[in-house]
């Protein structure tokens, strides 16, 4: 290994090819990065001062006898910067109509030929877009088609080109100064050295490598490209739609993850808990740490899979194909069916933030019989809705949905019911009737929680009633406090202060909360009940905005809204919840 501090002109030479490996991520920089880069290039052009842009980690690639290229370096880290610099100089040369500005990024194919080509060979993901730009002969606008019609551009390299083409001010840039003063720390690895040790811990200018990128690099190299094309590319990188699916951000509690990393975590939990491998208790505890997911995979393959990467490739391919077919993080935009099943479980995981269930749901999809899957998903909804409305403990859910249900191979609904209710006084069991009652009457709910519960209830109630309105996706609804939050400011306050304080206490409870399409204008939302119902002028009220919602409709006929009506609606919601998500031990009761 050798490390050198090199200026840009020294990095590029007449015969060196920089090869972006096919297993690396696509170009990912965005507008904030490009804006900062242009500002930095303008600053370099103003002062005679070296500017450090970061490190490059390159690995010497052995070239075969007779190869066109005498020196090929695999870019282990640095493709974001190399790509950006190359496109920057290409745009600069086009806008100045001076091709020689770009010549330093070209290589001669031989000493006997004048033929030249770009010195950076991009991977399969960005190759077409990158080559399209470097071969331009004039500064075309690539945000429009040949007819001048605006088009949607997904590729980041073309987006970068369009940004530079629009924002690069040639009068503020000195190409000579940038080439002389821009410098890197270049780390050169020999062809025999193991780049994995470095690659594992790389952060590229704040763009942290995901588990999937590290795992892909671990599984594939130029020697088994056929396996990459068979087991990884078809399910993860076949096209832009697939890449966008796996790269989307999903929240799990207060943390956010790429969807592909949540999938890989779920798969590892299934493999280590599912019974095929005798994983030690110590390793199980270590593998459950999401932050150490990639090292856990490597350790698992070494200790329990006999270093059989091929077996892992097949497992990932099969389970990822199933995952993409069944899991829909964008379900918030779509109306949900009233029928029990996976569609409603998707909504709970990705709209109500119960992704903790994901490993077990994937396990059920992989191993349970189809008819049993629907029954399991139906009971999971009952279990989670009752516990959530009762506001029961959630900290142990990860253990329940991995160590509990997967380790014990729970693959029927009856097994699931028996397992979670084996001890009626345990912390993690279905909620009791009195706990749900307390949740409805007394617990304060934040907007997202209450909206989710009411939407799930509304959608289930439509299974046996003909609703007067269409149900939209949950993302189309907002939570409305029927008695406004600032009711003391806008509504009549009872002379009895005790009654007023009880009304304050009921303000954020279920009886006073409703979902409505869109949202009411603030002046209508805070207005007296009669105006809130009818609206005023061109501002709609509840009668037009929310008519037909089963959880709200009958209350829109009431002449007033107060503590008494809040309690009345809370009782009705309680009865609807017990009827919708019932347990055998529930009993009919008059008192509420």
């Amino acid at each position: 290994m050798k490390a050198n501090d090199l200026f840009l002109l020294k990095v590029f030479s007449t015969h060196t090819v920089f090869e972006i490996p096919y297993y690396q991520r696509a170009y990912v920089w965005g507008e904030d990065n490009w804006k900062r880069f242009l500002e930095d290039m303008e600053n370099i052009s103003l002062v005679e001062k070296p500017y450090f842009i970061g490190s490059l980690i390159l690995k010497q690639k052995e070239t075969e006898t007779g190869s066109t290229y005498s020196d090929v370096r695999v870019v282990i880290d640095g493709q974001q910067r190399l790509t950006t610099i190359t496109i920057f100089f290409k745009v600069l040369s086009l806008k100045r109509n001076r091709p020689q500005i770009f010549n330093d990024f070209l290589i001669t194919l031989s000493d006997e030929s004048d033929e030249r080509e770009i010195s950076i060979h991009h991977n399969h993901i960005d190759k077409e877009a990158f080559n399209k730009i470097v071969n331009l002969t004039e500064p075309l606008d690539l945000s429009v088609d040949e007819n001048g019609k605006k088009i949607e551009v997904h590729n980041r390299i073309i987006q970068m080109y369009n940004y530079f083409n629009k924002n690069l001010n040639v009068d503020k840039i000195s190409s000579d100064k940038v080439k002389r003063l821009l410098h890197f720390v270049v780390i050169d690895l020999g062809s025999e050295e193991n780049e994995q040790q470095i690659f594992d811990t790389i952060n590229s200018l704040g763009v942290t490598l995901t588990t999937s990128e590290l795992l892909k690099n671990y599984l594939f190299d130029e020697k088994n490209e056929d396996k990459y094309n068979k087991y990884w590319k078809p399910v993860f990188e076949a096209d832009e739609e697939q890449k966008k699916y796996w790269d989307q951000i999903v929240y799990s509690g207060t943390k956010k993850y790429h969807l592909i990393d949540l999938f890989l975590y779920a798969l590892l939990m299934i493999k280590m808990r599912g019974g095929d491998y005798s994983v030690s208790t110590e390793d199980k505890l270590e593998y459950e740490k999401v932050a150490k997911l990639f090292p856990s995979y490597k350790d698992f393959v070494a200790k329990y899979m006999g270093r059989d990467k091929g077996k892992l490739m097949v497992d990932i391919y099969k389970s990822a194909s199933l995952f993409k077919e069944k899991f829909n993080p964008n379900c918030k935009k779509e109306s949900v069916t009233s029928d029990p099943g996976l569609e409603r479980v998707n909504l709970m995981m990705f709209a109500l933030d119960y992704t903790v269930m994901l490993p077990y749901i994937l396990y059920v999809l992989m191993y349970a019989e189809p008819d049993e899957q629907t029954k399991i998903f139906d009971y999971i909804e009952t279990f989670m809705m009752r516990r959530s409305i009762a506001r029961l403990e959630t900290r142990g859910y990860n253990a329940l949905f991995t160590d509990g249900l997967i380790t014990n191979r729970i693959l029927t609904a009856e097994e699931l019911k028996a397992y979670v209710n084996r001890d009626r006084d345990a912390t993690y069991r279905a909620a009791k009737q009195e706990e749900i009652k307390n949740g409805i009457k007394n617990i304060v709910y934040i907007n997202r929680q209450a909206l989710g519960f009411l939407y799930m209830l509304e959608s289930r109630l439509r299974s046996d009633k003909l609703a007067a309105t269409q149900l939209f996706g949950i993302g189309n609804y907002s939570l409305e406090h029927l008695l406004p939050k600032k009711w003391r400011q806008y509504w009549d306050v009872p002379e009895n202060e005790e009654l007023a304080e009880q009304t304050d206490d009921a303000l954020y409870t279920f009886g006073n909360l409703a979902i409505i399409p869109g949202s009411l204008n603030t002046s209508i939302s805070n207005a007296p009940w009669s105006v809130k119902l009818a609206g005023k002028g061109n501002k709609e009220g509840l009668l037009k905005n929310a008519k037909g919602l089963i959880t709200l409709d009958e209350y829109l006929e009431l002449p007033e809204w107060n503590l008494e009506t809040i309690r009345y609606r809370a009782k009705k919601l309680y009865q609807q919840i017990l009827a919708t998500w019932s347990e055998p031990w529930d009993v009919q009761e008059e008192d509420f």
Side-chain angles (χ1 to χ4, degrees), residues 194-211:
N194 181 11
E195 72 271 25
Q196 184 67 43
Q197 294 174 347
I198 296 176
F199 194 87
D200 288 356
T201 55
I202 288 173
N203 290 332
S204 297
L205 282 186
V207 183
T208 306
L209 292 172
T210 64
T211 297

Side-chain angles (χ1 to χ4, degrees), residues 3-113:
N4 296 289
D5 188 352
L6 299 179
F7 288 92
L8 184 63
L9 286 174
K10 290 290 185 181
V11 172
F12 291 90
S13 67
T14 54
H15 294 293
T16 300
V17 171
F18 298 96
E19 183 179 281
I20 311 296
Y22 69 86
Y23 50 72
Q24 275 199 29
R25 69 169 73 176
Y27 180 82
V28 296
W29 274 15
E31 188 168 323
D32 288 345
N33 302 98
W34 306 328
K35 182 175 184 291
R36 177 185 169 186
F37 181 85
L38 285 186
E39 291 173 349
D40 289 343
M41 297 309 102
E42 290 175 2
N43 289 335
I44 292 174
S45 302
L46 286 174
V47 296
E48 190 76 21
K49 186 177 180 181
Y51 181 85
F52 175 65
I53 197 170
S55 63
L56 294 177
I57 302 178
L58 309 173
K59 181 178 180 180
Q60 181 76 47
K61 183 177 180 179
E62 293 182 354
T63 55
E64 297 179 1
T65 304
S67 172
T68 305
Y69 314 111
S70 60
D71 184 16
V72 179
R73 306 294 174 98
V74 177
V75 181
I76 305 302
D77 181 45
Q79 71 139 313
Q80 307 294 320
R81 278 152 285 169
L82 286 178
T83 301
T84 303
I85 290 167
T86 304
I87 300 302
F88 165 79
F89 275 101
K90 181 64 182 182
V91 173
L92 185 62
S93 70
L94 290 173
K95 295 186 78 166
R96 283 188 174 163
N97 195 24
R98 291 181 58 200
Q100 62 269 31
I101 291 176
F102 191 63
N103 286 348
D104 289 325
F105 298 90
L106 302 175
I107 58 171
T108 55
L109 297 183
S110 71
D111 293 333
E112 292 78 29
S113 172

Side-chain angles (χ1 to χ4, degrees), residues 22 26 39 56 69 144 162 167 169 243 301 454 468 561 569:
Y22 69 86
E39 291 173 349
L56 294 177
Y69 314 111
V144 298
N162 286 330
N167 295 284
N169 186 338
K243 286 183 282 187
V301 171
L454 287 168
W561 191 257
R569 182 166 178 263

Side-chain angles (χ1 to χ4, degrees), residues 556-570:
L556 303 183
E557 306 296 328
L558 298 177
E560 58 181 321
W561 191 257
N562 51 34
L563 179 61
E564 181 181 351
T565 54
I566 290 173
R567 288 172 172 171
Y568 169 71
R569 182 166 178 263

Side-chain angles (χ1 to χ4, degrees), residues 480-484 491 520-528 532:
E480 180 66 26
H481 294 72
L482 300 178
L483 181 72
W491 286 37
L520 297 180
N521 181 274
T522 303
S523 63
I524 301 298
S525 183
N526 289 325
K532 189 163 188 171

Side-chain angles (χ1 to χ4, degrees), residues 130-144:
F130 182 76
N131 290 345
K132 178 179 181 178
I133 293 169
V134 298
N135 289 320
L136 288 175
T137 57
E138 57 180 316
L140 300 179
D141 183 354
L142 298 184
S143 65
V144 298

Side-chain angles (χ1 to χ4, degrees), residues 448-493:
R448 188 175 63 161
Q449 288 176 322
L451 190 152
F453 304 153
L454 287 168
Y455 182 86
M456 293 292 288
L457 180 61
E458 175 75 29
S459 58
R460 276 296 287 267
L461 290 174
R462 290 172 178 245
S463 62
D464 56 3
K465 293 186 179 181
L466 183 62
T469 58
Q470 174 188 357
L471 184 70
F472 305 109
I474 191 173
N476 296 100
Y477 291 87
S478 64
L479 191 73
E480 180 66 26
H481 294 72
L482 300 178
L483 181 72
K485 298 177 186 178
K486 299 180 180 179
W487 73 279
R488 284 178 178 264
Q489 183 177 343
Y490 297 102
W491 286 37
D492 292 334
V493 180

Side-chain angles (χ1 to χ4, degrees), residues 301-442:
V301 171
K303 285 184 178 179
Y304 301 103
M305 298 187 71
R307 301 187 183 278
D308 187 354
K309 294 182 182 180
K311 175 67 166 60
L312 181 60
M313 294 175 197
V314 174
D315 290 345
I316 289 175
Y317 172 75
K318 289 181 177 179
S319 52
S321 300
L322 178 66
F323 188 101
K324 188 175 185 301
E325 177 188 349
K326 300 294 186 180
F327 290 86
N328 179 20
N330 292 315
C331 56
K332 289 184 285 188
K333 301 176 183 178
E334 303 168 5
S335 175
V336 68
T337 178
S338 60
D339 298 327
L342 182 60
E343 186 177 325
R344 296 181 63 81
V345 171
N346 263 302
L347 192 69
M348 288 194 294
M349 288 191 296
F350 298 113
L352 276 63
D353 200 17
Y354 296 145
T355 52
V356 68
M357 302 189 302
L358 199 150
Y360 179 62
I361 301 302
L362 181 59
Y363 176 69
V364 170
L365 289 169
M366 290 170 68
Y367 297 111
E369 294 296 324
D371 290 346
E372 207 59 55
Q373 291 177 13
T374 301
K375 295 175 185 177
I376 289 172
F377 297 150
D378 186 20
Y379 187 69
I380 287 238
E381 180 180 333
T382 294
F383 178 79
M384 293 299 286
M385 288 297 97
R386 289 176 69 110
R387 284 189 61 89
S388 299
I389 291 168
R391 191 71 70 79
L392 299 185
E393 182 62 68
T394 64
R395 283 182 296 177
Y397 278 169
N398 187 62
L400 173 65
F401 286 105
T402 55
D403 185 34
L405 301 181
I406 296 176
T407 299
N408 288 283
R409 304 189 187 189
I410 305 298
L411 290 171
T412 71
E414 290 307 312
E415 290 172 342
L416 176 59
K417 293 176 185 178
Y419 182 82
V420 298
N421 292 308
R422 64 195 186 280
D423 183 352
R424 294 298 300 126
D425 293 320
T427 303
Y428 300 102
R429 36 78 187 164
K432 300 174 183 178
Q433 189 169 345
E434 58 268 28
E435 293 170 325
I436 295 174
K437 181 191 295 186
N438 178 62
I440 295 293
K441 291 177 67 174
N442 302 315

